Amino acid sequence: MSNQKRRGNIAIILKRKILSAILSSLLFALIFSTFGGIEGDAFFNLYYLNLIMVITYGVITSIFSDWLSRKLAKRTYTREITSFLFHCFFGCIFLVLSLVSSIFFFIVDRLLGKVKIGWLFVVIVLLVVVLVFITLINR
């Protein structure tokens, strides 16, 4: 595989993983705030805390899980199951809530795998997340 094609694949994966982190953290916070009776500031705290963990630890371990599953399994179905199990394993590191978060991340990541994502969209979404965070901090 040429270097340019490899860089293109890495960019596609990175865009998808970053967007998956943002969306799965939102899903995580929405579900847990709904069932837990969390309101307002606690929702945003839960969202941003989860996002920080997922965008750092989660993205790295997800890339590693996908890479490792490609090395271990040749068939697509087996590779997806293997990757899911690795996601769950790395999600268990921080106990049950992080396991749920890793499952959400896996599902959102696989759904986004069917969509073409541009850097401009990822940057805009990141800017919105950062601007909302700055606005909430300065209230």
Side-chain angles (χ1 to χ4, degrees):
M1 183 183 299
S2 71
N3 281 341
Q4 186 171 356
K5 186 172 181 168
R6 185 175 292 129
R7 273 187 248 130
N9 287 342
I10 291 170
I12 290 169
I13 291 168
L14 198 55
K15 288 184 283 191
R16 191 180 77 230
K17 299 290 182 189
I18 291 169
L19 196 54
S20 295
I22 293 168
L23 295 176
S24 67
S25 293
L26 183 61
L27 180 64
F28 177 83
L30 282 172
I31 288 175
F32 278 96
S33 65
T34 301
F35 293 121
I38 297 173
E39 298 174 4
D41 288 343
F43 166 80
F44 291 111
N45 290 339
L46 182 61
Y47 172 71
Y48 283 106
L49 179 64
N50 189 58
L51 179 63
I52 289 168
M53 293 303 293
V54 173
I55 211 146
T56 54
Y57 175 78
V59 168
I60 292 168
T61 58
S62 178
I63 291 170
F64 179 70
S65 296
D66 290 346
W67 174 80
L68 192 57
S69 67
R70 276 194 309 276
K71 295 294 181 188
L72 295 175
K74 299 299 177 203
R75 293 186 359 202
T76 303
Y77 182 76
T78 309
R79 190 171 45 241
E80 289 299 315
I81 297 292
T82 306
S83 180
F84 177 75
L85 292 174
F86 281 127
H87 277 78
C88 289
F89 171 75
F90 289 120
C92 283
I93 299 293
F94 297 113
L95 302 177
V96 176
L97 287 179
S98 63
L99 173 62
V100 173
S101 181
S102 69
I103 292 171
F104 287 160
F105 182 90
F106 179 82
I107 292 168
V108 170
D109 186 44
R110 290 313 185 259
L111 291 173
L112 287 178
K114 301 176 188 312
V115 178
K116 185 174 179 169
I117 302 166
W119 275 116
L120 180 61
F121 182 71
V122 174
V123 169
I124 289 171
V125 170
L126 272 173
L127 285 174
V128 167
V129 169
V130 169
L131 288 174
V132 168
F133 180 73
I134 290 170
T135 303
L136 290 172
I137 290 287
N138 290 323
R139 287 195 296 159

